[in-house]
Amino acid sequence: MPSAANLPNPQNCPLCGLPNLCAMEQARRTGQAQAPCWCLAANILPATLASIPPAARDLACICAACAAKVPTV
């Protein structure tokens, strides 16, 4: 099992490392209600989701810029 030091920062995109601006993570962290997250209206390609490193899946959201990119093979 990975240590806490090896877990991805849930506030940063696991693809580029920049802030992901995840409203759900912000609500979890602050305990304050947030506006709906940008990702609820996003159309993220399955290939983009597949490019998230396995250790970060379901632990950190990608950012809007990475969500909009078409992954290269």
Side-chain angles (χ1 to χ4, degrees):
M1 175 160 208
S3 71
N6 294 334
L7 293 176
N9 181 338
Q11 297 176 47
N12 292 339
C13 175
L15 298 178
C16 70
L18 295 176
N20 57 26
L21 304 178
C22 176
M24 293 182 283
E25 172 57 24
Q26 180 77 5
R28 184 201 64 77
R29 199 167 38 82
T30 65
Q32 297 179 356
Q34 302 290 314
C37 192
W38 64 266
C39 70
L40 296 177
N43 183 17
I44 304 170
L45 296 172
T48 301
L49 295 175
S51 70
I52 298 171
R57 290 184 185 159
D58 299 321
L59 297 175
C61 296
I62 62 175
C63 68
C66 287
K69 290 179 186 174
V70 176
T72 57
V73 184

